[in-house]
Amino acid sequence: MRRAGARRGDPAARHQMLRVRGRSVAWVPPLVLLLAIAAVDWNTTGEFRVISWIVLVPGIAAAICGVWGTAVMSVLAVLTYVVVDSAWPGEYQAGWPDFVLVLVGGILATLACVVRVRGELRMLHIRDVADTTRRTVLRPLPPHWGGLEHAAVYLSSDVEARVGGDFYDIQPGPHGTRVLVGDVQGKGLGAVEAAAALLGTFREAGYHEADLGTVAERLEIRMLRHRRRNAALGPDRGTPAPARGAPDRPLDGDRFATAALVGFPADDPGAVDVLLFGHEPPLLVGPGGVRPVPPGDGLPLGLGELAVDGPPSVRRVPLAPGETLLLTTDGVTEARDGDGEFYPLAADVARAVAADPRTAEPRRLVAFVRDRTLRHCGGRLVDDTTVFAVRRDGEQEERGEQGEGG
């Protein structure tokens, strides 16, 4: 699983920018400023004293340096002030008032740096916990797994939370390899919990059940059980409340999930079985062009009781050699540009494949869709985004190998 690049406000990214060959150079800007102020003050007339500006040095150090670096810069600022100011005749000296200003400014800057560093450490810890949670739900997959070649990228719309309801997995088994990609309504730990419940059921049912429709029924039942359990627990079941001003999140009793369930049958390498639960139809991308999978007739998981015509039917779609199945979540299909236009995924991919047929390869295709989506929306994602591309592994097909397990 890959993420988007570091964003503004990320302390890890900021510290990385202030390192050269693995060593921190955060001390350079405040030191240069200190020397510049001292030089300007030394070379100007007595009527234009700027030595008191040296109070800016600890403030800048507090923003980019560590606690000890800020403390050192504060001491250097005080010492430099004393040396430079004492070199002037008595009538031109700034004197004690500005000395107290520089001294107090250094102390306050050091204290502010302590608060900043503690906050950054707490944010990094929360991010690590969120990343661990995501890796637990979205388990790492080998590039070639279950007779399939695949690639995936996950982009979080919230750089601080980094937790959403998108999910995907590949489950090999004796009846072929199954793929599940979906998006749980809402964000936060409640959405991750629902995604984990669905993935756990998929990993068991996808391996044991011979019929893909039975796997779908198991997923629907699991979502209903999850909703009923959480509805019985009530809203105060230990989940943190949303921040003030944040949009209301769905109650767990009302939560649902859109999903695409795909089966690669072991007895028919020239086809895929597809079940859609309120999910955008996948695209089949190959050297010959792009074609959409027929839209499904299923309601999102958790809303199956509202279906008039019963559960959705399994559709078998022909699969040409080398074709890649591209599945995305709402973050791609709902990405808008400055004019409010949605990202034209199918047309954009078709142009790219026409220009370079190798774009249909899973890794290239995922990277292309990721970059083009971010460019289209200017990096402002309105929802968590998953791009997942999968196709039959040609090398394993030639060897007649079909992976099992997981």
Side-chain angles (χ1 to χ4, degrees):
M1 178 180 65
R2 297 184 180 180
R3 296 186 179 276
R7 302 182 189 176
R8 187 185 307 173
D10 190 337
R14 182 167 62 250
H15 291 312
Q16 188 63 30
M17 292 175 59
L18 295 172
R19 300 186 74 86
V20 175
R21 296 182 179 179
R23 295 187 177 184
S24 174
V25 294
W27 52 271
V28 173
L31 181 60
V32 170
L33 179 62
L34 184 147
L35 297 176
I37 292 175
V40 171
D41 187 82
W42 184 268
N43 292 281
T44 53
T45 63
E47 289 78 10
F48 186 74
R49 297 296 308 282
V50 297
I51 191 61
S52 59
W53 293 7
I54 211 167
V55 73
L56 298 174
V57 172
I60 293 177
I64 61 178
C65 295
V67 176
W68 283 108
T70 302
V72 169
M73 287 298 167
S74 300
V75 172
L76 286 177
V78 173
L79 295 177
T80 303
Y81 173 87
V82 172
V83 172
V84 174
D85 195 50
S86 300
W88 285 84
E91 65 269 22
Y92 295 118
Q93 290 181 3
W96 282 99
D98 285 358
F99 173 80
V100 173
L101 174 65
V102 175
L103 179 63
V104 173
I107 295 174
L108 294 178
T110 303
L111 294 176
C113 184
V114 171
V115 175
R116 191 208 90 214
V117 170
R118 287 181 177 178
E120 288 183 351
L121 290 175
R122 182 174 180 272
M123 179 182 293
L124 291 173
H125 175 69
I126 293 174
R127 189 182 70 176
D128 289 342
V129 171
D131 287 344
T132 301
T133 302
R134 290 297 307 181
R135 286 195 300 269
T136 302
V137 176
L138 300 180
R139 59 181 182 178
L141 296 171
H144 302 271
W145 181 238
L148 302 180
E149 178 188 357
H150 74 92
V153 64
Y154 169 76
L155 307 176
S156 174
S157 62
D158 188 342
V159 71
E160 294 185 2
R162 303 170 71 90
V163 178
D166 287 9
F167 58 91
Y168 58 84
D169 202 4
I170 297 176
Q171 180 56 59
H175 310 291
T177 301
R178 276 72 185 266
V179 174
L180 180 67
V181 176
D183 180 11
V184 177
Q185 179 199 26
K187 298 180 182 295
L189 295 180
V192 175
E193 185 182 19
L198 290 173
L199 286 174
T201 298
F202 168 72
R203 289 161 186 166
E204 290 301 313
Y207 180 86
H208 292 288
E209 300 294 344
D211 181 42
L212 193 65
T214 304
V215 178
E217 292 177 7
R218 295 274 299 276
L219 290 172
E220 174 66 25
I221 293 172
R222 185 67 185 93
M223 191 65 189
L224 290 175
R225 289 173 53 203
H226 179 78
R227 288 176 49 186
R228 289 166 182 166
R229 168 187 170 274
N230 289 336
L233 289 173
D236 300 325
R237 58 187 184 90
T239 303
R244 180 177 297 180
D248 294 336
R249 62 190 177 197
L251 297 176
D252 286 314
D254 299 326
R255 201 181 295 274
F256 59 84
T258 61
L261 178 61
V262 180
F264 289 81
D267 58 352
D268 190 354
V272 291
D273 295 328
V274 180
L275 270 164
L276 299 178
F277 301 92
H279 199 278
E280 193 75 15
L283 297 177
L284 287 169
V285 182
V290 177
R291 56 191 179 98
V293 171
D297 54 358
L299 295 178
L301 295 171
L303 303 180
E305 296 174 329
L306 303 178
V308 178
D309 299 327
S313 55
V314 179
R315 300 191 180 190
R316 178 155 291 193
V317 180
L319 183 67
E323 273 192 324
T324 298
L325 194 67
L326 175 64
L327 302 105
T328 62
T329 55
D330 292 344
V332 174
T333 56
E334 296 181 0
R336 295 172 181 258
D337 60 12
D339 298 327
E341 298 293 331
F342 290 109
Y343 171 54
L345 173 63
D348 203 21
V349 172
R351 285 192 294 268
V353 172
D356 183 4
R358 294 180 301 171
T359 305
E361 298 173 5
R363 289 187 179 276
R364 292 174 179 266
L365 184 58
V366 162
F368 172 82
V369 175
R370 175 199 62 200
D371 295 342
R372 296 291 292 182
T373 300
L374 291 173
R375 181 181 301 179
H376 183 81
C377 67
R380 298 181 296 273
L381 296 172
V382 298
D383 197 358
D384 294 335
T385 302
T386 295
V387 184
F388 191 89
V390 60
R391 68 180 180 182
R392 290 189 180 272
D393 193 336
E395 295 181 2
Q396 288 197 19
E397 285 181 6
E398 291 177 2
R399 294 194 303 263
E401 297 178 0
Q402 175 69 35
E404 281 191 20

